Amino acid sequence: MGALATLPIFFDLRAKRAVMAGGTDGAAWKAELLAASGATVDLYCPAAEIGDEMRVVLELPYPDGAIRHHDRPWGTDIFPAAALAVADCETDAEAKAFFCAAQAAGVPVNVIDKPPFCQFRFGTIVNRSPVVVGISTDGAAPILGQAIRRRIETLLPATLAGWAKMAARVRAEVMDRLQPGPARRAFWERFSDDAFTRRVPDETAELEARAFVRELSARPQAGGRVTLVGAGPGDAELLTLKAVRALQAADVILFDDLVSDDILELARREAKRMLVGKRGGRESCRQEDINAMMTRFAHAGKHVVRLKSGDVSVFGRSGEEIADLRAQGIPVAIVPGITAASAMAGAFGVSLTHRDRAQQVRFVTAHSQKGDLPDEMDWRALADDHATTIFYMGGRMASRIAEQLIAHGLAGETPVAVAAALSRPDEIRAVGTLSQLGEIVGHVGIDRPILIGVGRVFADVEAAALLGYEPERLDPSRQTSRLQAKAV
């Protein structure tokens, strides 16, 4: 483990005494926090110095704690039998006196907003009690800590507190019926999934949780399941929250060749990772072997995450996997991801649909099982000037795609956009016209994971390119290539 600026500790204050000096607004927040944690807070401050916030805090009810006001200044006699000491002092001299007195009495001490006189810090808190998250920047950047708290708040539903209380109720049965190891972890992972996906931890949810405990005690392998997860185009920040939760609950991850290392870094450390990618023109795992692996691990009671680039339901052969898993009686869940076409629209700064230019959008595979263009493609329908068409896996077929579309009526001047390695550090983007498509893809590189967009929604991008304008890039290391049809 790397160096820690401070040691995060969760301190049980129920039925313990804390002492506090000062009646300021800053002290009021700390007094309320201590009382809410179950402490009896003895506040030492002359009544005339009590601020408005502290007066409010003194009147609040606390289920397990209390605040007792003593109308006098603090003295060295207040520290015996105290678990913590907190003060808000105007001067460094008073802060030092309070600090030394508490230290001499062996009481951990904090002087608000004076780091040299603090043995501990409060940090920023996300409260889903009994789930409590503490955030510390070691006093260096409190505003950053608050920003982190806001991020975490969005991840933790308000109902999580109820689920945590239910966990306390069922814990004894889990410990009694389930052996340490896979069975217990299978229960708690399923329970955690419910906590983040079901709204209310009601009586039915508790009955189902207890039933699952009994099922696992009879059949430990009953916890086996598969989750198909869309990894998006590559950038880890484009993952859904549900995808991250699935990765962090996985026993085994079967991932595609195009899944980035940054995404795999978000997975549970103990999870077994297995590359099962399929790339055109390269040695690949057979789909039958992938299906067999998922079945074998799930039947062994494992939570298997099948991690696919883009969205699992778009040209990912997930239909075959779902059918096979269901035939084996294995529970399967789907976590959608951002498909490459959406990432392409974001990269080029366009909308794939447009009231005046494209009333429909089509996703088309340019690669059949035979390694050629699919025989069933309706080129007359695809050559529609009022639609946006995105061709997946079209690098080697680019010239033939252009020939077919032009032969079936689409103008050679129709704008096209080509992207490779979308949202990754080595991303390349290029624009031009349909008649140039083969040349553009050749320039980008046919062996790269290429996406081709055809349609008038890319006209503004093309015009910008002809004027020498490059759309803003997310990362300075990314490249934006331009093939210009003519000089301006």
Side-chain angles (χ1 to χ4, degrees), residues 27-43:
W29 160 238
K30 298 299 190 296
E32 182 181 7
L33 188 63
L34 293 170
S37 300
T40 297
V41 182
D42 283 324
L43 172 65

Side-chain angles (χ1 to χ4, degrees), residues 38-62:
T40 297
V41 182
D42 283 324
L43 172 65
Y44 295 88
C45 181
E49 298 177 12
I50 295 290
D52 292 339
E53 287 291 329
M54 185 63 84
R55 293 184 191 280
V56 172
V57 166
L58 286 170
E59 297 297 326
L60 293 176
Y62 300 98

Side-chain angles (χ1 to χ4, degrees), residues 225-271:
R225 57 194 170 118
V226 174
T227 305
L228 307 182
V229 176
D235 187 343
E237 291 193 2
L238 294 178
L239 278 178
T240 65
L241 299 180
K242 198 168 186 177
V244 174
R245 287 199 292 268
L247 286 171
Q248 293 177 349
D251 295 306
V252 180
I253 300 172
L254 307 180
F255 64 96
D256 278 351
D257 192 39
L258 296 177
V259 174
S260 69
D261 291 340
D262 288 344
I263 289 174
L264 290 172
E265 278 297 310
L266 296 173
R268 176 171 167 264
R269 294 296 178 189
E270 297 82 1

Side-chain angles (χ1 to χ4, degrees), residues 2-188:
L4 290 172
T6 54
L7 178 66
I9 294 176
F10 293 89
F11 196 178
D12 184 0
L13 286 175
R14 285 171 294 183
K16 293 183 174 66
R17 177 174 172 264
V19 295
M20 172 166 284
T24 63
D25 290 353
W29 160 238
K30 298 299 190 296
E32 182 181 7
L33 188 63
L34 293 170
S37 300
T40 297
V41 182
D42 283 324
L43 172 65
Y44 295 88
C45 181
E49 298 177 12
I50 295 290
D52 292 339
E53 287 291 329
M54 185 63 84
R55 293 184 191 280
V56 172
V57 166
L58 286 170
E59 297 297 326
L60 293 176
Y62 300 98
D64 299 312
I67 304 177
R68 302 184 300 201
H69 177 220
H70 302 268
D71 186 9
R72 51 159 283 197
W74 70 272
T76 56
D77 61 315
I78 72 172
F79 296 104
L84 293 177
V86 179
D88 195 358
C89 303
E90 289 189 10
T91 67
D92 283 355
E94 184 185 2
K96 183 176 181 180
F98 188 89
F99 177 83
C100 291
Q103 197 173 38
V107 180
V109 58
N110 174 286
V111 180
I112 298 169
D113 291 337
K114 294 189 182 299
F117 305 110
C118 293
Q119 291 180 315
F120 67 91
R121 296 181 178 86
F122 285 90
T124 303
I125 292 174
V126 178
N127 184 13
R128 297 289 189 273
S129 188
V131 175
V132 179
V133 180
I135 303 157
S136 171
T137 61
D138 196 32
I143 300 301
L144 175 60
Q146 294 171 17
I148 295 170
R149 184 201 67 198
R150 290 193 295 271
R151 289 287 187 96
I152 296 176
E153 289 272 10
T154 65
L155 300 176
L156 303 182
T159 55
L160 191 61
W163 286 97
K165 291 174 183 175
M166 187 203 297
R169 293 195 298 271
V170 302
R171 179 178 176 81
E173 187 172 353
V174 173
M175 301 295 286
D176 181 57
R177 287 179 173 269
L178 301 181
Q179 294 296 316
R184 279 190 193 173
R185 200 163 63 78
F187 171 80
W188 288 118

Side-chain angles (χ1 to χ4, degrees), residues 48 62 103 110 134 138 156 274 291 324 349 393 418 437 440 461:
Y62 300 98
Q103 197 173 38
N110 174 286
D138 196 32
L156 303 182
M274 302 179 68
N291 293 350
D324 188 76
M393 301 167 287
V418 176
L437 182 58
I440 295 172
V461 178

